[in-house]
Amino acid sequence: MELYEAIQKRRTVRDFSTKHVPDDVLNRILEAGVKAPSHDHARDWHFVVLRDPKRIAEVLKHVNSGAEVQTDIINHWETATECQKSMYYDALPKQVKMLSQSRCLILPLFRGGTDLMAPRDISSLNSFASIWCLIQNILLAATAEGLSCALRIPIMNEEAYVLKTIHAPEGYRMPCYLAAGYSAPDARIIQQQDIPFSARLHAETW
């Protein structure tokens, strides 16, 4: 698949089949990840890959399951578009299912280096920015391999619990959970809002 085709076809999928992701395919998409630009050329990135359903369930133990409360909040969002609301209505009840069903849960790790909630300046977030470049590479490589992905950013005490459970060395952070797998035949794909590129392009100044 060509790069621009992968970019156009990439979509978040929250309904997976249990078809096994071959090791060679998984290794290719992770290797694509580490080709991303990195802070100080350090590439101090690691992956914990979980395939055992029991182990995945253990790691996901603290994923917030309060979908009903969160859905009620969405109903009162005055600024949210119908497209955004549709995504959240589909996503919130599937937070555990979408991460466990594919049976290939990737936990990307990077060395934090700074307080992400109180950075000195934008530059001090370089390592955090770099890991998201890695994640984008993985998303595009997975699309090129015929796979789909879903991610969740940990909230509250989830990250600390996962890092302890997987015995991550001190100083490492986990920006997201990332499920990779083959879409279920009836996977729901939420329509994205179509924003003309020209509306976001500014020449010389805003």
Side-chain angles (χ1 to χ4, degrees), residues 54-188:
K54 291 183 179 179
R55 184 66 172 150
I56 291 173
E58 180 183 12
V59 164
L60 298 180
K61 181 179 177 181
H62 283 201
V63 171
N64 193 331
S65 60
E68 298 82 4
V69 174
Q70 296 177 61
T71 301
D72 183 63
I73 293 173
I74 294 170
N75 291 333
H76 294 87
W77 279 358
E78 296 181 0
T79 58
T81 66
E82 289 306 311
C83 186
Q84 289 173 310
K85 289 181 179 180
S86 295
M87 182 275 292
Y88 279 106
Y89 287 138
D90 180 67
L92 290 177
K94 297 178 180 177
Q95 292 300 289
V96 174
K97 175 187 172 186
M98 71 182 190
L99 297 176
S100 61
Q101 192 177 46
S102 74
R103 297 187 181 175
C104 183
L105 182 60
I106 302 165
L107 306 178
L109 305 176
F110 73 103
R111 189 179 293 277
T114 189
D115 184 350
L116 297 180
M117 297 298 102
R120 297 184 308 276
D121 49 36
I122 292 293
S123 179
S124 63
L125 294 174
N126 282 345
S127 58
F128 184 57
S130 294
I131 193 70
W132 282 103
C133 293
L134 173 148
I135 292 164
Q136 177 70 352
N137 273 17
I138 290 175
L139 296 178
L140 294 177
T143 301
E145 293 283 356
L147 300 178
S148 297
C149 294
L151 63 82
R152 172 187 170 85
I153 297 174
I155 62 174
M156 300 176 68
N157 64 345
E158 290 178 28
E159 183 195 13
Y161 169 77
V162 173
L163 291 173
K164 181 179 179 180
T165 302
I166 63 174
H167 306 292
E170 186 176 353
Y172 281 86
R173 303 294 304 267
M174 183 191 79
C176 69
Y177 312 82
L178 178 60
Y182 295 96
S183 298
D186 59 349
R188 186 176 180 194

